[in-house]
Structure formats: structure tokens, C-alpha cells
Amino acid sequence: MYKRQTQSLPLRPLADAAPRTTGEPTESMTPPAAQGLLRRDAHRFSLVGVIWDDADAELHGTVQVRTRATGTARWSGWQSLETHNTDHAADSGSPERDSGRVRGSTAPLWVGDSDGIDVRVRSGSDGPRGGGAPDTSPLPAGLQVELVDPGEDPVEPRAEDTPEPGTSSAVTAGTPSPGTATPATAAQPGPLPESAGLTVAAAESSAVNADLAPLGASEIAPLSKAESEEQAVVGAGAKPFVGPRPGIVTRKGWGADESLRERTFAYTSTVKAAFVHHSATGNNYTCAQAPSVLRSIYRYHVKSSGWRDFGYNFAVDKCGKIYEGRAGGVTKAVLGAHTLGFNTNSMGIAVLGSYSSKNPPAAAVTAIAKLTAWKLGLFGRNPKGKVTLVSGGSGKYKKGAKARLNVISGHRDGFATECPGIRLYKKLGSARTTSAKLQGR
């Protein structure tokens, strides 16, 4: 059987990581201002990241890689990885953050099918910060490059293996219903029998969406606005402002290996806001490759970075397809690890790609509007409104500070970060307007 894997390769000191006429750094035995790997063969991989021991240590410098396309002698040019990634993480003091498994990490980069790697990590900034001296902070300890193989796409089950709607939806009594606040202490799904070719962990992940799709379904079908409002849980006499439910590819649909994540689900009390991100994994993927990108990010988040699961609650690809992210149920208030300091009572949406210098596709912006119109509507939120959130501690708001934010915010609104890229950030106004219209406001 094909087994996907992560190759973890320790970086070595380099005398100089600056490109020479040959483009090659040289090795050194002296204390390094740079570390890396010279060109070397590797087992096949498609996503690259760099990690280090201390999750609280920042990498002040640059990380660049180049890769060789599988089965060829063709090497890419140098590509930069986003090093300021500590803002995409579980909140300080949370069980996930304090698990002892979390490591520092760059954002991962999708490079496509590759079998060769060249890495250079250089300490210090390219110039002075704020008019002062250049940053010469040492590199964090334990640097290693992670080469992630996404594995094969999932095989669709035969029609006779797919249960009829309603036949496999009996989950344990502790599973919350759609739109209901689900605190972290909510009862977890109990053991479920293997069915439809699912492992117990996969069945549990699917069962929390049992009111929306059959056990083992690869996609949650879209609903009309009227159907979505009929399913919503709202207060007596209140008018539901719930947008039409969009189609959502489930974790089963994109091929999540449920054995990687922690078995229990973590919840927060409600969903007051949606934070929009870009994955910073680059734009060199096709829409057909999006499930592979997701499987790679998921594996990098869990196995390399030490998180409990995929960090974001939802993902959107460049063609506007929406994907279930962190396990726990798409209608529920699942606690993510996406916006340091503001993971409580929020959800995170990652648009696959990098949008600092490239405009996001209109289909992706429309998908943000559709998803937020529905999900925020389940919790009674106005996409054009404001909300007050209490910071758990971030680079922009100290712990305990109250932040007045847009209900649909960019990551940079809660943390001093480039994310979700200025080009995507500038589109959030139109996403808010469209989302509110879809809710009927």
C-alpha cells in the first residue's frame, strides 16, 4: 500500500548563504550565520517547510529553497518561505499550545512533485529596522527542513458502499446539533462501528456532520436559503438571517488521514467573527491539486509543527471550492489554531495561495462571502457588523485587551502580520457586502 510520509532533514552550517555565480552556498565548520543543505536527492515530495525546536523563538532572517522536478534534471529558481508564522497558532496557555509537541515553523510552500532539494537559511534582515542597526539575531536551534508527500487522492466509494441519507446518522447523545454553542467541555463522540470502509476515527470525523450528509460522504450538498433557514436554530420570534449553505468538500473528500489528528474535538462557545487568511503556500497549484495541497498542509501542521489538527476551520481554493478544515463539524464552533490571540469564539478561513502581490481570484472572494453568509448566520452574526473580542495575547493586542473588529476581518486586524496579503485584504469589503446580501440584510 502507498504510504505518504514526511522527510525531516537537519540543516547544516553554511559559510555563506548568499548566491554566488554558481548559485551554490559553501559548507563551513564555524558557528553559522547561515544553515542549509546543498543540492541533494530526496524521496518524492510536494510541499516544503522549515521547523525548529522552540515554538516561542522567531526566525529573524530569510529561508529560501529550490527544488528539482521529479524525474528530471530541472531545478527551480530560489523561492522564499514566509518566516513570520508564529501568528498562525493556538493561543498561549491553551492545551494545544502547551502540549509540549509544538515547534516553531515557517509557512509551508507548495512546490509540486519534486525529488531534489536545496535549502539556505540566513540570519538577519536585509537592512536596518526602523533606522537602527540590521537585525543579527541568531538562528533558532534545531533547524530542519520538512519534505511532505501528500499521498494519493482518495478513491470514491462504490455506490453500493454509500449509505442512504439518515441510515448512519445515529451518533452518540453528546454530539451537538447544528448552530448550537459547543464549549470545549462538550461530550465527544463515542466509538462508532467501522462502516462504508471508514476507520473509527474517520467515522467519528464524519459523524459530527451526520445531520448534513451521510456517514462517509465526500461532500456536503448545497442548500437554498429557505432550506438553510429551516435548519437553523434561532431564538423564538427572531428572523433568521442565514445565507444559502454552499457545497463543502468534507475531510473524507479531500483525503484527510484521520489517524494523524488528536481523536477528541475541541470547541469554543460560539462564532462571533471570521478571520480570513492566505495559506502563503504559493499560487503554483491547479484546482485539481487543491486536495493534495490540503493533505500536505494538514500533515505539516500536525506532524511537523506539532498541532492537534489542521489549523484552519475552512479552506477555499482558487476556483472557489470550499473545504472542511479542522474536524469537529462544519456547523459547530470548532476551536482552531489560525489567529494567535483570537481563536476563541471565531473561525478561520484560509484561501490557498499567496496574495501579497497577486490578486485573489473572484471565485475565491465569492466563496468567502457564501461561506460566511451561511456559517455566521447560524450564530446570528451580521457580516457587515462589528464585534468585540477579548485578546488571548497577540503581537497587536496584549492579553485581556478588548478589540473592536469587523465580523469578517483579515488576520492582520488581530495581529501585526502581512496575512492575508494586501491584495486579498482589500477584497474583504466586497466580501462583507455580498455576504450580508446573501443573508437577506
Side-chain angles (χ1 to χ4, degrees):
M1 177 182 288
Y2 183 94
K3 186 181 173 97
R4 67 197 67 163
Q5 61 181 348
T6 300
Q7 300 165 76
S8 300
L9 306 176
L11 301 188
R12 299 192 297 266
L14 299 175
D16 183 10
R20 300 178 181 273
T21 54
T22 61
E24 294 292 348
T26 57
E27 293 194 31
S28 170
M29 297 303 291
T30 60
Q35 296 185 38
L37 285 179
L38 302 184
R39 288 189 184 189
R40 59 163 291 169
D41 295 339
H43 297 296
R44 291 173 65 172
F45 63 94
S46 294
L47 181 133
V48 181
V50 169
I51 65 171
W52 52 93
D53 294 340
D54 185 357
D56 293 322
E58 292 192 44
L59 195 163
H60 296 291
T62 58
V63 178
Q64 294 181 305
V65 301
R66 56 181 172 182
T67 55
R68 184 182 63 205
T70 294
T72 74
R74 187 175 68 253
W75 286 83
S76 71
W78 288 105
Q79 301 182 79
S80 296
L81 277 63
E82 173 56 61
T83 59
H84 302 294
N85 196 47
T86 56
D87 47 317
H88 298 79
D91 290 343
S92 299
S94 66
E96 181 170 4
R97 179 72 176 190
D98 294 344
S99 67
R101 297 189 300 271
V102 178
R103 293 178 284 272
S105 61
T106 67
L109 180 70
W110 176 260
V111 294
D113 193 4
S114 304
D115 63 5
I117 183 67
D118 197 352
V119 187
R120 62 188 186 198
V121 180
R122 190 179 185 185
S123 66
S125 60
D126 292 333
R129 289 185 175 183
D135 187 344
T136 56
S137 302
L139 293 174
L143 286 170
Q144 59 188 49
V145 64
E146 302 284 284
L147 309 179
V148 183
D149 170 20
E152 297 175 335
D153 287 329
V155 177
E156 288 296 319
R158 298 172 299 172
E160 58 266 30
D161 292 335
T162 304
E164 291 297 320
T167 60
S168 298
S169 59
V171 296
T172 54
T175 303
S177 60
T180 303
T182 49
T185 54
Q188 303 291 340
L192 296 171
E194 293 192 23
S195 60
L198 302 177
T199 64
V200 172
E204 290 173 349
S205 178
S206 181
V208 285
N209 293 317
D211 290 340
L212 313 180
L215 189 69
S218 295
E219 186 166 1
I220 296 169
L223 292 181
S224 68
K225 181 170 173 33
E227 291 170 325
S228 299
E229 289 179 343
E230 184 178 348
Q231 284 197 355
V233 178
V234 296
K239 179 181 178 181
F241 289 98
V242 181
R245 186 179 77 200
I248 302 171
V249 178
T250 64
R251 290 169 64 91
K252 173 70 161 52
W254 56 263
D257 180 350
E258 300 295 351
S259 69
L260 297 181
R261 64 170 175 84
E262 288 192 21
R263 283 288 296 276
T264 58
F265 306 133
Y267 296 100
T268 185
S269 297
T270 186
V271 177
K272 293 183 177 180
F275 286 98
V276 177
H277 305 254
H278 66 174
S279 63
T281 46
N283 302 308
N284 296 323
Y285 73 95
T286 66
C287 293
Q289 290 174 322
S292 293
V293 177
L294 287 170
R295 292 195 301 275
S296 299
I297 296 173
Y298 170 44
R299 190 172 185 88
Y300 183 74
H301 282 177
V302 177
K303 302 298 287 185
S304 300
S305 302
W307 300 359
R308 64 175 290 127
D309 193 354
F310 187 80
Y312 308 102
N313 299 102
F314 295 93
V316 173
D317 70 21
K318 63 174 68 175
C319 290
K321 186 168 285 189
I322 299 169
Y323 301 84
E324 178 184 15
R326 181 163 287 207
V330 297
T331 62
K332 301 171 181 64
V334 177
L335 180 65
H338 47 83
T339 307
L340 182 65
F342 293 102
N343 291 304
T344 298
N345 296 336
S346 73
M347 70 179 196
I349 304 167
V351 181
L352 299 181
S354 302
Y355 299 105
S356 295
S357 58
K358 182 178 177 61
N359 286 327
V365 178
T366 299
I368 293 170
K370 289 179 177 179
L371 175 58
T372 53
W374 170 69
K375 181 64 182 274
L376 291 173
L378 295 179
F379 291 87
R381 311 300 174 191
N382 182 347
K384 294 183 72 175
K386 297 277 189 177
V387 65
T388 298
L389 298 177
V390 178
S391 174
S394 76
K396 195 169 185 177
Y397 294 95
K398 66 180 181 180
K399 186 173 183 178
K402 293 182 178 180
R404 189 70 173 165
L405 302 171
N406 289 309
V407 169
I408 298 177
S409 283
H411 186 184
R412 61 173 55 195
D413 293 319
F415 196 99
T417 176
E418 168 66 18
C419 184
I422 189 61
R423 299 291 187 93
L424 176 54
Y425 186 75
K426 287 182 175 180
K427 298 293 184 181
L428 296 187
S430 62
R432 294 182 192 106
T433 300
T434 302
S435 181
K437 287 180 179 178
L438 288 169
Q439 284 189 350
R441 297 182 186 270

